[in-house]
């Protein structure tokens, strides 16, 4: 067996007593349901190490053939944040002025969003997530990646969860189109911008739209056979 085909014993799985599992599952749910997308951020700084740790957590997500087809660009530079805001607002204006179409704009009404994105400058961190069509288990590999969208979606979910767990608020922001992020973030042509996370503390007067608090009950999202 070649070295790359070796397996290791699983040594870090923790088996909890069932009563503890029950308690942990409740605790996790109670904690994650306090996660809300917010659009009003404080400009209070967040230490870089916290962001690094959350990105490390995101990097443990499962991915097709373990190729980890993602790259995260963490932006705290005022100059770069300003560029992101300018570009995002420019594109979003076209979107809200009609490119989105009536049905989409109608669906967004309860969220109260518009083309103004001041939070892109106020928040201490923006994390641009990029997906890679080509790659491999080592940086620089140029093999085919598999299930790229699924993998990057999972890593982004891990990241949002890690940031929330650390005590930060986020917005999953999808400026449309967002190709401009490649240039602003100095990423190569073979990577595609996937999502932009806005990260920081909520502003003191932050609100969340009622619409976003409506979560489907278990019976509507799950079946047990
Ligand atoms: N990208 C726009 C519009 C937008 C689209 C969806 I779908 C949302 O859930 C929220 C907003 C914007 O960020 O304003």
């Amino acid at each position: 067996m070649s070295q790359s085909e070796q397996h290791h014993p699983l040594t870090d799985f923790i088996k909890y007593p069932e009563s503890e599992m029950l308690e942990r599952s409740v605790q996790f749910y109670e904690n994650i349901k306090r996660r809300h997308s917010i659009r009003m951020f404080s400009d209070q700084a967040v230490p870089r190490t916290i962001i690094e740790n959350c990105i490390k957590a995101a990097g443990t997500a499962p991915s097709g053939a373990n190729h980890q087809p993602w790259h995260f660009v963490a932006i705290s530079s005022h100059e770069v944040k300003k560029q992101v805001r300018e570009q995002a607002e420019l594109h979003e204006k076209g979107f809200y002025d009609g490119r989105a179409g009536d049905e989409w704009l109608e669906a967004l009404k309860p969220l109260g969003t518009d083309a103004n994105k001041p939070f892109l400058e106020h928040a201490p961190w923006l994390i641009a997530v990029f997906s890679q069509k080509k790659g491999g288990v080592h940086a620089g590999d140029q093999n085919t990646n598999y299930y790229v969208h699924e993998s990057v979606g999972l890593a982004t979910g891990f990241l949002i969860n890690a940031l929330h767990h650390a005590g930060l608020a986020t917005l999953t922001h999808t400026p449309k189109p967002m190709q401009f992020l490649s240039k602003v973030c100095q990423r190569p042509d073979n990577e595609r911008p996937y999502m932009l996370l806005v990260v920081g503390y909520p502003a003191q007067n932050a609100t969340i739209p009622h619409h976003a608090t409506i979560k489907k009950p278990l019976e509507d999202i799950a079946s047990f056979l």
Side-chain angles (χ1 to χ4, degrees):
M1 188 188 290
S2 77
Q3 204 193 357
S4 67
E5 289 167 28
Q6 262 179 20
H7 282 225
H8 296 284
L10 175 66
T11 53
D12 51 4
F13 182 84
I14 302 173
K15 191 152 199 282
Y16 301 101
E18 236 171 63
S19 58
E20 203 176 324
M21 286 169 66
L22 186 62
E23 175 62 17
R24 289 173 64 89
S25 64
V26 171
Q27 284 300 323
F28 187 85
Y29 170 58
E30 291 298 329
N31 193 43
I32 200 69
K33 79 175 193 209
R34 294 186 303 97
R35 185 215 57 83
H36 307 289
S37 293
I38 62 143
R39 294 177 178 80
M40 298 152 92
F41 283 84
S42 146
D43 62 3
Q44 189 182 336
V46 170
R48 172 173 160 160
T49 314
I50 296 172
I51 302 299
E52 287 178 351
N53 289 339
C54 293
I55 294 175
K56 279 182 358 191
T60 69
S63 64
N66 193 33
H67 282 195
Q68 305 153 63
W70 43 65
H71 186 88
F72 303 91
V73 178
I75 306 166
S76 64
S77 149
H78 293 290
E79 184 44 47
V80 180
K81 284 192 288 186
K82 190 164 165 253
Q83 286 175 33
V84 173
R85 178 182 179 182
E86 277 170 12
Q87 291 285 320
E89 288 185 336
L90 191 75
H91 292 299
E92 291 286 287
K93 196 169 176 331
F95 176 89
Y96 282 97
D97 282 352
R99 191 160 30 81
D102 290 344
E103 187 181 356
W104 198 345
L105 292 178
E106 199 55 38
L108 293 179
K109 264 194 190 153
L111 295 177
T113 54
D114 59 29
N116 299 310
K117 307 295 178 193
F119 50 77
L120 292 175
E121 270 187 279
H122 294 167
W125 290 96
L126 306 177
I127 305 179
V129 184
F130 290 83
S131 65
Q132 301 169 331
K133 256 187 131 129
K134 294 269 177 195
V137 73
H138 299 293
D141 287 351
Q142 285 299 321
N143 304 315
T144 304
N145 284 336
Y146 305 97
Y147 298 103
V148 172
H149 278 276
E150 293 83 348
S151 304
V152 182
L154 287 162
T156 305
F158 273 40
L159 180 56
I160 294 169
N161 201 346
L163 291 161
H164 173 71
H165 184 74
L168 291 164
T170 58
L171 174 68
T172 32
H173 181 42
T174 48
K176 198 173 161 63
M178 57 180 160
Q179 278 86 338
F180 72 87
L181 282 173
S182 296
K183 191 153 179 238
V184 175
C185 297
Q186 303 168 31
R187 296 311 300 165
D189 288 346
N190 55 357
E191 285 185 4
R192 295 238 324 248
Y194 183 82
M195 201 167 276
L196 182 62
L197 295 187
V198 186
V199 181
Y201 300 103
Q204 224 145 42
N205 61 345
T207 59
I208 47 172
H210 168 73
H211 180 80
T213 67
I214 306 167
K215 300 298 181 194
K216 290 177 181 164
L218 181 65
E219 54 272 29
D220 290 347
I221 62 168
S223 319
F224 293 81
L225 303 178

